[in-house]
Amino acid sequence: MVKRAPTRRRPRKAKPGTKGLRPAECRIEEPAGVAAEAAGEIERAGGCIVGSYKEPLGGHPVLLSILPVDAVEPTPFQRDLSDAHHKRLADVINKTGRFLDPIVAVPAPGGGFWTPNGRHRLEAMRRLGAKSIAALIVPDREVAWQILALNTEKAHNLKERSLEVVRIYRDLLNEDSTRLESRFSFYLDDAALVTLGVRYERGLVSPYLRAFVLARINPLRWIKGELPPLEDVLKTMRERAAQFNVEKIKP
């Protein structure tokens, strides 16, 4: 019998001024621990640290750095580059003569840095022939996979979300194949997007794709009340998707 997960509730609005650090508490005199390791990575990449602080909500260390453009690459699982968008961005940066929006970057597995949400700014700077780029270095690489959940200001369309989710799913497995699927929920936003991502990769671009696929593999359609754990949902969806006969799909 499928176990039902506990109901998720959105945190209540906190009282003003009751959470996080005061300005003076955000100061870092000298990077230590993971921040010191990240500082070493910055130096090895040919960059320099121009400031450091604890971000004011959770107190996690952040290093404000200048990195060589060639030391930064986009994460392999984020949305595809928009040629028109990065060119428009390059035009705006060129007109103002200023780069005022640092990218977020994390140490990459093989050296150098990944940017989980600065691909278009990075490509715009490359287009302009920039030597360096300003970056907020987050020592915890886990943030690279959390970026889809954090990116709520600029919404992805369904195709972008699906492709990004399936890439994150694969990369999480490559990073740690023992990770339980129940631990994927924060990163994947919606379990159905894994299947949709695979279908988009195979060339299906119909605007009715999501409804069509979910109608045939969704195990949640008849469940009322609390939903089962993500791990059970993904298992059922994979089993049903494996039985999905694409040859019977008519345009």
Side-chain angles (χ1 to χ4, degrees):
M1 183 176 179
V2 176
K3 297 181 180 179
R4 291 182 175 179
T7 304
R8 293 184 179 181
R9 295 182 179 180
R10 181 170 295 176
R12 292 183 178 180
K13 183 178 179 180
K15 294 181 180 180
T18 60
K19 193 171 183 179
L21 306 179
R22 297 180 183 279
E25 295 173 325
C26 296
R27 183 183 293 111
I28 293 179
E29 299 297 340
E30 187 70 28
V34 292
E37 294 176 9
E41 289 289 340
I42 293 169
E43 292 180 1
R44 283 189 288 274
C48 67
I49 300 174
V50 295
S52 60
Y53 63 95
K54 297 176 184 177
E55 51 84 15
L57 183 62
H60 302 289
V62 179
L63 306 177
L64 176 58
S65 308
I66 307 298
L67 296 174
V69 167
D70 293 340
V72 186
E73 294 294 337
T75 52
F77 42 77
Q78 66 181 275
R79 73 172 83 186
D80 295 331
L81 179 71
S82 166
D83 190 60
H85 180 59
H86 94 269
K87 288 179 179 177
R88 285 197 302 269
L89 187 56
D91 289 341
V92 172
I93 295 172
N94 189 48
K95 288 179 181 178
T96 62
R98 294 173 174 84
F99 181 77
L100 301 176
D101 190 7
I103 62 173
V104 173
V106 300
F113 293 87
W114 276 353
T115 176
N117 73 335
R119 182 170 196 170
H120 290 92
R121 280 168 284 166
L122 177 63
E123 292 303 321
M125 291 291 276
R126 283 178 172 165
R127 183 175 181 82
L128 294 174
K131 299 176 182 178
S132 307
I133 190 166
L136 296 175
I137 305 299
V138 179
D140 186 2
R141 194 188 308 156
E142 193 84 359
V143 171
W145 295 292
Q146 296 172 356
I147 205 66
L148 184 61
L150 293 172
N151 193 350
T152 57
E153 293 184 356
K154 183 180 179 182
H156 296 54
N157 61 38
L158 177 60
K159 182 177 180 180
E160 289 174 335
R161 289 173 63 209
S162 300
L163 290 173
E164 191 163 339
V165 161
V166 75
R167 293 167 186 170
I168 290 175
Y169 180 79
R170 292 193 184 109
D171 207 78
L172 285 169
L173 288 176
N174 290 335
E175 180 77 8
D176 181 6
S177 61
T178 64
R179 188 191 302 258
L180 296 176
E181 288 185 333
S182 58
R183 294 176 56 196
F184 286 23
S185 58
F186 179 77
Y187 310 105
L188 302 186
D189 186 32
D190 184 339
L193 296 176
V194 177
T195 302
L196 288 174
V198 173
R199 307 305 298 173
Y200 276 121
E201 287 179 332
R202 295 181 180 180
L204 292 180
V205 294
S206 167
Y208 306 104
L209 175 61
R210 180 175 188 175
F212 183 83
V213 174
L214 287 183
R216 286 154 180 79
I217 69 172
N218 182 10
L220 307 178
R221 296 175 66 191
W222 313 114
I223 296 179
K224 295 182 180 180
E226 297 179 353
L227 300 179
L230 176 65
E231 189 171 354
D232 293 341
V233 174
L234 288 174
K235 181 177 182 295
T236 302
M237 292 179 69
R238 283 200 306 270
E239 292 172 350
R240 294 184 180 182
Q243 301 171 3
F244 198 88
N245 188 352
V246 296
E247 301 298 330
K248 293 184 178 180
I249 300 176
K250 296 181 180 180

